[in-house]
Amino acid sequence: MQSQIQINLKKVLDDINAAAVSCGRNISDVSLLAVSKFHPIEAVLEAINAGQTKFGENRVQEATAKFSEVYKSFLNTELHIIGQLQTNKVKKAVEIASMIESVDRIDLLKEIEKQAVKLNKTINVLMELHTGEESKSGFESVEKLYEALEFCKTSKNIIPCGFMTMAPFTEDEVLIHKSFESLRLASEKLQKDFPEFNLKELSMGMSNDYKIAIQEGSTQVRVGTAIFGQRNY
Ligand SMILES: *Cc1c(COP(=O)(O)O)cnc(C)c1O
């Protein structure tokens, strides 16, 4: 029998594919990051058994506890850190993750570079842009993203792969479209000005708005609740 997580996962993947096709995009151009924060390792293993390989976690400590176990049996599992990251957690984050999506300040990039050099590891990053959500996470302007990418030119172990954002928590679809559109427009501009990087990744869209995000060019949606159910904080 299929578990609820497996049923949910299949439905989300079907919906992602349908959303991509309906706006003329390739289904292979949109990937799914399963956000497992606050859910136990058993939930992660169920999703892995259903074929999911990419996971997202907000908190480094929780991520380390789960994924150091998961990696023992599933070597090709990928972990992305997607939550606000304190400087003193960077070392662990670089150790455990293949990508940090929530880069929101230059100092954080400097620390990521420092720790990655120490660990002799290259680390993928996305720059998070604040495009209208209440939590105020992310760089506050496109100008700051220029500074961030200038720093990346000088770094050895950081690979900038694109951008991330969160839409505002609202029912107003026009505002959600605007938020995602502004990230896409920023990324097109930045890609032109930094041809030395491949900045194709646009991480946008969560359980409530991933279809809109796909219409606006998302290359990776981050979905938690629609796969794993409600979180108990
Ligand atoms: C929790 C979280 C998600 C997943 O949100 P759902 O609404 O549960 O799909 C995606 N992105 C970030 C940055 C998050 O913190």
Side-chain angles (χ1 to χ4, degrees):
M1 223 186 69
Q2 277 200 313
S3 74
Q4 192 60 50
I5 288 174
Q6 289 168 334
I7 293 166
N8 292 346
L9 189 58
K10 180 166 189 323
K11 181 173 184 313
V12 169
L13 286 168
D14 286 347
D15 284 353
I16 289 171
N17 290 346
V21 168
S22 77
C23 55
R25 300 186 56 200
N26 243 316
I27 57 173
S28 59
D29 291 346
V30 187
S31 70
L32 170 63
L33 188 77
V35 178
S36 50
K37 65 185 182 202
F38 289 93
H39 292 283
I41 185 169
E42 290 75 20
V44 172
L45 295 175
E46 269 184 42
I48 289 174
N49 282 326
Q52 181 64 26
T53 55
K54 286 209 299 183
F55 293 86
E57 288 275 346
N58 279 47
R59 299 186 311 176
V60 175
Q61 208 173 351
E62 179 186 346
T64 305
K66 272 184 245 174
F67 283 83
S68 52
E69 277 305 306
V70 168
Y71 289 148
K72 286 180 189 163
S73 317
F74 301 97
L75 290 173
N76 68 343
T77 305
E78 223 184 280
L79 174 68
H80 295 189
I81 295 294
I82 61 173
Q84 265 186 346
L85 186 54
Q86 292 170 328
T87 308
N88 62 357
K89 303 277 167 63
V90 168
K91 177 170 184 280
K92 271 279 168 209
V94 172
E95 265 174 32
I96 192 94
S98 60
M99 181 181 276
I100 298 173
E101 299 199 5
S102 40
V103 173
D104 60 357
R105 55 194 194 277
I106 306 283
D107 281 352
L108 183 60
L109 275 177
K110 289 182 180 162
E111 185 65 17
I112 292 170
E113 167 71 1
K114 183 175 146 195
Q115 298 299 339
V117 166
K118 269 194 203 164
L119 290 162
N120 196 21
K121 176 178 176 175
T122 55
I123 179 97
N124 296 327
V125 304
L126 302 183
M127 309 300 164
E128 180 177 357
L129 181 64
H130 180 252
T131 61
E133 101 284 8
E134 289 88 1
S135 78
K136 293 264 196 298
S137 59
F139 284 101
E140 72 220 21
S141 67
V142 178
E143 287 64 45
K144 298 270 184 208
L145 297 181
Y146 274 87
E147 279 177 44
L149 288 167
E150 284 297 337
F151 174 80
C152 291
K153 281 188 188 171
T154 69
S155 81
K156 293 191 199 69
N157 291 41
I158 291 177
I159 304 172
C161 301
F163 307 94
M164 186 269 246
T165 199
M166 276 192 273
F169 300 106
T170 172
E171 306 269 285
D172 186 342
E173 296 204 350
V174 174
L175 288 180
I176 297 172
H177 271 283
K178 275 205 178 120
S179 164
F180 292 147
E181 183 193 32
S182 68
L183 189 68
R184 174 168 47 80
L185 295 175
S187 90
E188 286 167 2
K189 199 160 168 278
L190 287 151
Q191 180 66 85
K192 275 208 195 88
D193 291 332
F194 291 91
E196 59 271 74
F197 298 134
N198 180 0
L199 302 170
K200 75 172 178 52
E201 222 52 84
L202 273 183
S203 174
M204 52 190 203
M206 318 196 336
S207 291
N208 290 327
D209 55 21
Y210 66 85
K211 287 170 206 163
I212 298 175
I214 290 167
Q215 290 167 13
E216 292 295 347
S218 172
T219 63
Q220 180 199 258
V221 295
R222 308 178 307 271
V223 179
T225 309
I227 298 169
F228 297 108
Q230 291 293 335
R231 290 178 287 271
N232 295 314
Y233 288 106

